[in-house]
């Protein structure tokens, strides 16, 4: 199932990438409601590339009830973004999200570009759930959950930029 989320942020792209190299910012951004960040690694390289790895837990309430028995009451989610070295005015990367211990994955791209009011971050990918009979329902729930989390992260970035963290 396809997932596409666009975030418009009031910050220059190079400033946002600098923030994303700061582990405190990354953890703050990822600490959305009902989510606990269990671990994070921010690994900037000398060529300007950047790898961000997050491990967090969240309630399984968005997962269909008939599948929840297989995953438990909390989900452990691993989120990895690998950003390539910057190109003039643009940054590109890959993103992978997996629910540990389940056959549910999201893989795709992430991009950052200049915009009139700051920058635009775009996540574009595919969510798959290799679960017989319930795969489509789980994919739909996973897409909705990822969209909610990414929207909440946009709010956290805006709060950080406004100094109200």
């Amino acid at each position: 199932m396809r997932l596409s989320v666009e975030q418009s942020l009031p910050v220059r792209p190079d400033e946002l990438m600098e923030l994303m190299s700061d582990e405190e910012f990354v953890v703050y951004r990822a600490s959305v409601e009902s989510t606990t960040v269990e671990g994070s690694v921010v690994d900037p390289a000398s060529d300007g590339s950047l790898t961000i790895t997050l491990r967090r837990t969240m309630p399984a309430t968005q997962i269909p009830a008939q599948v929840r028995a297989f995953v438990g009451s909390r989900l452990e989610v691993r989120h990895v973004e690998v950003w390539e070295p910057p190109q003039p005015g643009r940054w590109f990367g890959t993103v992978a999200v997996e629910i540990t211990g389940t056959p549910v994955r999201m893989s795709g791209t992430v991009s950052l570009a200049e915009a009139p009011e700051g920058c635009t971050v775009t996540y574009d990918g595919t969510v798959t759930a290799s679960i017989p009979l319930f795969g489509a329902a789980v994919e739909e729930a996973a897409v909705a959950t990822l969209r909610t989390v990414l929207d909440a992260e946009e709010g956290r970035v805006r709060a950080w930029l406004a100094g109200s963290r």
Side-chain angles (χ1 to χ4, degrees), residues 12-134:
R12 289 192 348 251
D14 58 326
E15 292 173 332
L16 182 60
M17 287 306 293
E18 186 175 324
L19 281 173
M20 292 195 335
S21 296
D22 177 350
E23 192 161 349
E24 181 183 355
F25 170 79
V26 169
V27 170
Y28 177 83
R29 179 186 81 162
S31 298
V32 299
E33 185 179 335
S34 301
T35 299
T36 303
V37 176
E38 303 289 347
S40 64
V41 176
V42 177
D43 188 18
S46 60
D47 66 357
S49 61
L50 174 67
T51 301
I52 301 168
T53 304
L54 288 164
R55 190 173 50 83
R56 50 188 161 183
T57 56
M58 60 182 52
T61 53
Q62 302 255 349
I63 300 296
Q66 61 271 37
V67 179
R68 220 173 293 143
F70 299 107
V71 298
S73 62
R74 292 199 60 80
L75 303 173
E76 183 177 310
V77 179
R78 186 169 183 260
H79 179 132
V80 179
E81 292 181 16
V82 179
W83 291 89
E84 298 172 6
Q87 298 177 12
R90 294 187 67 86
W91 285 257
F92 296 98
T94 58
V95 61
V97 179
E98 64 180 14
I99 300 175
T100 306
T102 71
V104 180
R105 310 269 182 280
M106 182 271 202
S107 60
T109 60
V110 58
S111 63
L112 171 62
E114 293 182 60
E117 301 293 320
C119 69
T120 302
V121 179
T122 304
Y123 290 89
D124 192 26
T126 303
V127 174
T128 58
S130 303
I131 301 171
L133 302 175
F134 302 113

